[in-house]
Amino acid sequence: MRFFSTRGEPLGLSLSEAVLRGLAPDGGLYVPDAWPHLVSKDFDHCETLAEVGARLISPFAIGDRLESLIAEITSDAFNFPAPLVPVTGVDGEGEMHVLELFHGPTAAFKDFGARFLAATFQRLRVASDPTVNILVATSGDTGGAVAAAFHRRPGMAVTVLFPKGLVSPTQERQLTCWGDNVRSFAVAGTFDDCQRMVKEAFVDPQLSAAMSLSSANSINLGRLLPQAAYYASTSLRYWREHTRKLNFIIPSGNLGNAVACIWARHMGLPIGRVVLAHNANRTVVDFLQTGEWSPRRSLATLASAMDVGHPSNMERLRALHPDLDSLRGAVTAESVDDERIATRIRRDRQRFGQIWCPHTAVAAEVWATMDERSRRELPWCLVATASPAKFPEIVEPLIGSSIPVPPALAELLQRPTQVEPLEPSLAALRTALLSPRR
Ligand SMILES: *Cc1c(COP(=O)(O)O)cnc(C)c1O
């Protein structure tokens, strides 16, 4: 199978080429030129997430040097569970489940994609290659997940850019606690600045001449495809038990997680409605309403990993649904402000005993305020994108008690940190990348 840029670059690439490139030279994002069609019978012998993932992703690798390696990569990458947990106490209001995507090393869903990408790079690398430089802009969780996934892997270096002061203290520790082959920069700007710098670096001739750069953001196909695996696995499990399609509410920022779900549905998996749950950054919500695409600066919210004013993966959604009405049929989107996030965290703790992270709370609020008929008649799944223990500064005052910290997270939070300041410009990034670590 071949992959093309959303902006029409004429040359198709294989899966490994697209993963190594990250972003297309024309600035677009890679999308497949065809879709495998899979029905639930195709997954009959797949039990684990790793097996479902291998079955789902293998067709994309046909004819590529990754073809025989996908099963090995998914079992390396998906070494932690993605449980679907029913929420009790919903009585009479319908059926609600939570897909817990936070059981990986940094307690957020980005561990799935980051570990798949690291496992892939590791197998694609040949001993004679120069160091592969992974460049990543993060609004919170990406950087930590990528750093954890690549930390101490030979032949690979990671550079993390995050907006100074705009990630939570706990997140900042996770971005800066690595050392070795990981360098972290606090950029004097927003996430959008960080993301723009990364995009510019990839098309900068001076940098391309000096080093081999690759991305690990949700724009990389190697992050996005593996995320389709947990939607496949969850929806299949639900289908086998209930013969009904499961409907997903997805806390969304840059739309990587949502596109993975929509791709899984496009391939034939038993997924019903997909609802994008946004915070006060309502670029996508406004676009679906008005048809005007007006990216803007991001606003800082309680759900900071979703503070994206110009969601890149919209290009992939548009590639699949170029027509606005077709896009409106494929997804709906809602926006939730900080006050509603806070209230939802407080209420659902009391009502269901559930402690949401601020991102998951956006989805919980969308569920709680959706039209009654949809809520009662369809089985819903909230996608829990992070553990609340990553956001104690926000969640603990709201619920009035402390949140137990998972052991892996506790270990990370105790390490010493290292961080360098950076101006929000390509020139500053270029200088930093070309100079040795201080
Ligand atoms: C990154 C992130 C999101 C947003 O995911 P996208 O793929 O960018 O839409 C939501 N919640 C958490 C906890 C995240 O880390």
Side-chain angles (χ1 to χ4, degrees):
M1 189 175 294
R2 308 302 285 174
F3 295 86
F4 286 87
S5 163
T6 46
R7 299 196 187 163
E9 180 200 40
L11 204 69
L13 302 183
S14 71
L15 179 60
S16 59
E17 289 165 334
V19 168
L20 287 172
R21 287 257 197 103
L23 192 71
D26 63 5
L29 278 56
Y30 288 113
V31 291
D33 69 342
W35 294 93
H37 192 76
L38 299 165
V39 293
S40 56
K41 224 165 66 65
D42 292 314
F43 294 88
D44 273 355
H45 303 290
C46 304
E47 291 302 324
T48 63
L49 177 62
E51 287 164 353
V52 171
R55 182 70 191 83
L56 186 77
I57 298 167
S58 291
F60 294 97
I62 290 171
D64 183 54
R65 61 185 168 130
L66 284 171
E67 185 169 354
S68 62
L69 299 171
I70 296 294
E72 191 185 308
I73 291 172
T74 57
S75 75
D76 173 339
F78 303 156
N79 62 349
F80 54 93
L84 182 66
V85 179
V87 175
T88 51
V90 179
D91 312 333
E93 276 191 64
E95 193 185 315
M96 200 226 290
H97 303 262
V98 180
L99 175 57
E100 293 185 354
L101 298 180
F102 52 71
H103 297 285
T106 67
F109 82 92
K110 293 187 173 77
D111 285 325
F112 288 96
R115 286 187 57 81
F116 182 91
L117 190 68
T120 302
F121 274 131
Q122 187 181 335
R123 285 162 180 84
L124 286 176
R125 198 177 162 271
V126 284
S128 59
D129 275 351
T131 298
V132 177
N133 289 275
I134 310 293
L135 192 52
V136 55
T138 183
S139 57
D141 286 329
T142 293
V146 169
F150 283 85
H151 185 224
R152 295 194 175 152
R153 283 190 197 251
M156 280 176 258
V158 178
T159 302
V160 177
L161 307 188
F162 66 93
K164 184 176 159 61
L166 296 181
V167 301
S168 79
T170 307
Q171 281 178 324
E172 181 160 340
R173 293 197 72 84
Q174 291 187 317
L175 297 173
T176 56
C177 70
W178 305 96
D180 303 313
N181 60 338
V182 179
R183 264 176 105 178
S184 306
F185 292 94
V187 174
T190 63
F191 169 66
D192 293 329
D193 291 316
C194 299
Q195 198 173 40
R196 173 183 45 78
M197 289 159 74
V198 168
K199 284 190 172 188
E200 287 171 357
F202 282 113
V203 293
D204 183 53
Q206 226 176 307
L207 279 173
S208 317
M211 52 178 46
S212 144
L213 281 181
S214 200
S215 90
N217 275 84
S218 56
I219 54 177
N220 194 307
L221 205 56
R223 282 271 310 277
L224 214 116
L225 273 181
Q227 292 174 176
Y230 47 74
Y231 290 109
S233 159
T234 305
S235 63
L236 281 168
R237 220 182 312 153
Y238 192 82
W239 179 263
R240 283 173 187 153
E241 278 175 33
H242 306 275
T243 355
R244 291 184 83 188
K245 290 181 178 177
L246 196 54
N247 302 272
F248 291 91
I249 307 177
I250 307 175
S252 292
N254 211 26
L255 300 176
N257 201 4
V259 166
C261 183
I262 289 162
W263 281 9
R265 184 176 65 185
H266 198 70
M267 285 180 247
L269 284 137
I271 294 168
R273 283 173 55 181
V274 176
V275 180
L276 312 179
H278 289 273
N279 60 24
N281 290 280
R282 30 182 313 131
T283 308
V284 174
V285 179
D286 290 347
F287 174 64
L288 288 174
Q289 252 163 35
T290 65
E292 299 282 334
W293 180 243
S294 55
R296 55 204 81 161
R297 290 187 76 81
S298 55
L299 302 171
T301 75
L302 291 176
S304 63
M306 289 153 48
D307 292 347
V308 183
H310 189 168
S312 329
N313 279 299
M314 192 62 176
E315 287 195 27
R316 286 191 166 113
L317 265 189
R318 307 267 4 227
L320 201 58
H321 299 285
D323 175 67
L324 188 63
D325 284 330
S326 138
L327 184 62
R328 283 175 174 148
V331 289
T332 55
E334 302 288 337
S335 164
V336 170
D337 66 18
D338 275 0
E339 200 183 314
R340 288 169 64 196
I341 293 175
T343 308
R344 184 52 50 198
I345 291 174
R346 223 182 274 126
R347 280 208 189 139
D348 284 0
R349 169 60 197 271
Q350 283 161 1
R351 203 170 152 215
F352 305 127
Q354 291 281 347
I355 307 177
W356 309 125
C357 89
H359 312 82
T360 308
V362 175
E365 173 69 7
V366 167
W367 179 81
T369 54
M370 91 173 27
D371 71 281
E372 214 175 296
R373 191 158 159 218
S374 302
R375 197 172 59 219
R376 277 175 203 273
E377 291 181 359
L378 300 173
W380 287 97
C381 175
L382 304 188
V383 177
T385 49
S387 157
K390 291 191 80 166
F391 308 93
E393 301 89 353
I394 297 170
V395 178
E396 288 181 352
L398 291 169
I399 61 171
S401 60
S402 63
I403 306 166
V405 181
L409 198 56
E411 197 269 317
L412 289 192
L413 298 180
Q414 272 166 21
R415 297 187 189 188
T417 60
Q418 293 174 43
V419 60
E420 301 167 58
L422 196 68
E423 285 306 307
S425 73
L426 173 64
L429 176 59
R430 198 194 282 128
T431 308
L433 285 174
L434 295 176
S435 72
R437 169 199 293 281
R438 275 186 296 168

